[in-house]
Amino acid sequence: MINYARQNTGEQPDATPPATDDHIAPAPRVSVQAFCETVETAAAVQSAGADRRLDKAHLKIQMGGMAAAIEAYRTAPTPNVIILETEGRNDILAGLDQLATVCDSGTRVVVIGRINDVTLYRELVRRGVSDYVIAPVSAIEVVRSICGLFSSSEAKAVGRIIAVVGAKGGVGASTIAHNVAWAIARDLALDSVVADLDLAFGTAGLDYNQDPPQGIADAVFSPDRIDTAFMDRLLSKCTDHLSLLAAPATLDRVYDFGADAFDSIFDTLRTTMPCIVLDVPHQWSGWTKRALVAADDILIVAAPDLANLRNTKNIFDLLKASRPNDRLPLYCLNQVGVPKRPEINAVEFAKAIEGPPIVAIPFEPQIFGSAANNGQMIAEISAGHRTTEMFLQIAQRLTGRGEAKKPRGSLLSPLIDKLRGR
């Protein structure tokens, strides 16, 4: 359905990703062909084609607008999606009528135009146009339009992938990933799954006190069997809202993978789980880089020393360059305040990363050690502990959700509730 509310005010689009939550589910493997009239629109579409959410889409761009599209499809089949840039009102309607005579059934059409008028919008809807975007367009608007064609606007957004990675080994990234996932499931009541990607040494099973006979290794070594039913059988239920895709944590085989080895696993999880938390091991390979770049949101965990500062900046800069249309990665400091250890404080980190850490988690060996040895989360040991609130804060930022706050009551509240039929 066309989203007429998506209008441009005429100002130049801001290159900085919005701070508010704007989750866009990736597009499936589809073919997209754009027919542009201006170099500005062609550049925006070209930039959109490099976005991670269109990674599976095959995008082709040519100039000529509506006339070029009509001529092209007289002798060739139409793709899954056609993007048309056009100028005047008469050009749009007359061109669409001609295009309909050569367009295959099932092809979705996105029109980019400069006329902001409800009557035109109704005519476009009547002709079956899937989306109408007001020019000038930015790359993220093109991404949103294409991806929106393949996700239901009525359904709750599903398949958000959150990747958590350590800037250095031993900084506690897995512990934070597991506690944040717990907060997402328990405090935000969002169905979630933790995927432990450290197949040889993963600790998610230990942290959640789970020892499932199957897990992520069964999926990655059997790519031809992956579907929703198969993935459901591999999940171990931790709580009502939290499941685990555990790592085998054994050394009986070598875990060398290609860059796309986990793609089908993540794609399948997206279709059934609203939130997927990836516990990414501290290693640099094709598939770990791909997992980070393709995630919807990223948390980098760092300890307050020089090596962590360098690595955090390197990861941050690479992800910022690879994901120009996404929110910036978040980072947090962990194990802050180790006795007698010289540390780089949060202010110095903020100067280098050009932004403050989301939280600075104190060094608390007693409670973290007890939780690890007992297979519990920090919130289970001490619901009122200060780090429990920090994990909730991270969970809210990564998911774009805040706590549901009850409105303040008034003397008229009972009457208003009755009038609303409550």
Side-chain angles (χ1 to χ4, degrees), residues 54-397:
L54 296 182
D55 185 56
K56 291 183 173 64
H58 177 71
L59 178 63
K60 183 178 179 182
I61 304 170
Q62 70 181 73
M63 305 303 290
M66 185 78 72
I70 296 170
E71 185 61 32
Y73 298 129
R74 293 188 191 279
T75 56
T78 51
N80 301 109
V81 181
I82 300 174
I83 299 176
L84 298 169
E85 183 185 15
T86 187
E87 297 288 344
R89 177 193 303 267
N90 293 334
D91 291 344
I92 298 177
L93 301 180
L96 287 174
D97 290 339
Q98 292 185 57
L99 184 64
T101 64
V102 297
C103 192
D104 299 335
S105 61
T107 295
R108 307 183 189 196
V109 177
V110 174
V111 174
I112 298 174
R114 298 182 180 274
I115 300 174
N116 186 1
D117 180 73
V118 68
T119 304
L120 173 62
Y121 160 71
R122 289 170 179 163
E123 286 297 323
L124 293 174
V125 170
R126 192 171 66 82
R127 284 168 168 80
V129 169
S130 299
D131 198 5
Y132 180 58
V133 188
I134 306 298
V137 296
S138 64
I140 191 61
E141 288 177 305
V142 176
V143 172
R144 186 184 295 112
S145 180
I146 297 174
C147 294
L149 300 178
F150 302 95
S151 60
S152 171
S153 59
E154 292 81 11
K156 183 172 65 173
V158 298
R160 186 189 208 104
I161 289 184
I162 295 170
V164 182
V165 66
K168 191 170 177 285
V171 297
S174 291
T175 298
I176 290 177
H178 305 160
N179 278 274
V180 168
W182 181 273
I184 292 171
R186 189 195 69 165
D187 299 319
L188 305 183
L190 193 62
D191 288 337
S192 307
V193 59
V194 173
D196 191 343
L197 303 185
D198 191 350
L199 274 71
F201 304 106
T203 59
L206 296 175
D207 285 352
Y208 291 122
N209 197 23
Q210 299 283 326
D211 187 21
Q214 294 178 302
I216 194 167
D218 298 270
V220 75
F221 287 114
S222 304
D224 55 325
R225 298 178 59 192
I226 294 176
D227 57 24
T228 55
F230 180 61
M231 293 303 299
D232 284 344
R233 290 197 298 271
L234 300 181
L235 295 177
S236 174
K237 197 169 185 62
C238 301
T239 69
D240 288 342
H241 291 290
L242 183 64
S243 298
L244 170 64
L245 191 58
T250 59
L251 303 179
D252 56 351
R253 65 201 308 176
V254 175
Y255 303 106
D256 291 333
F257 305 114
D260 59 353
F262 291 87
D263 284 6
S264 56
I265 297 174
F266 299 158
D267 290 344
T268 304
L269 289 174
R270 278 186 187 274
T271 64
T272 58
M273 279 289 179
C275 185
I276 303 102
V277 178
L278 305 182
D279 181 2
V280 182
H282 179 72
Q283 64 182 67
W284 197 241
S285 62
W287 69 266
T288 53
K289 178 182 177 182
R290 188 177 179 91
L292 291 173
V293 171
D296 296 294
D297 286 281
I298 301 154
L299 176 68
I300 305 168
V301 180
D305 62 34
L306 184 59
N308 275 273
L309 175 58
R310 179 201 63 187
N311 294 353
T312 299
K313 181 164 178 55
N314 286 343
I315 297 172
F316 192 95
D317 290 346
L318 180 139
L319 292 174
K320 183 178 178 180
S322 302
R323 300 154 47 89
N325 303 313
D326 285 271
R327 293 194 298 178
L328 296 176
L330 300 176
Y331 77 97
C332 72
L333 296 180
N334 191 31
Q335 303 170 352
V336 175
V338 175
K340 300 182 179 179
R341 181 183 70 177
E343 295 181 348
I344 297 176
N345 61 37
V347 175
E348 295 302 318
F349 256 82
K351 288 180 181 178
I353 310 300
E354 299 180 358
I358 180 172
V359 295
I361 301 172
F363 179 64
E364 302 268 12
Q366 183 66 41
I367 190 169
F368 277 86
S370 297
N373 289 336
N374 295 333
Q376 292 179 295
M377 298 293 100
I378 300 300
E380 292 181 284
I381 294 180
S382 177
H385 196 271
R386 55 179 173 172
T387 55
T388 300
E389 180 62 31
M390 291 181 180
F391 292 137
L392 175 57
Q393 183 181 346
I394 296 172
Q396 290 171 331
R397 284 285 300 275

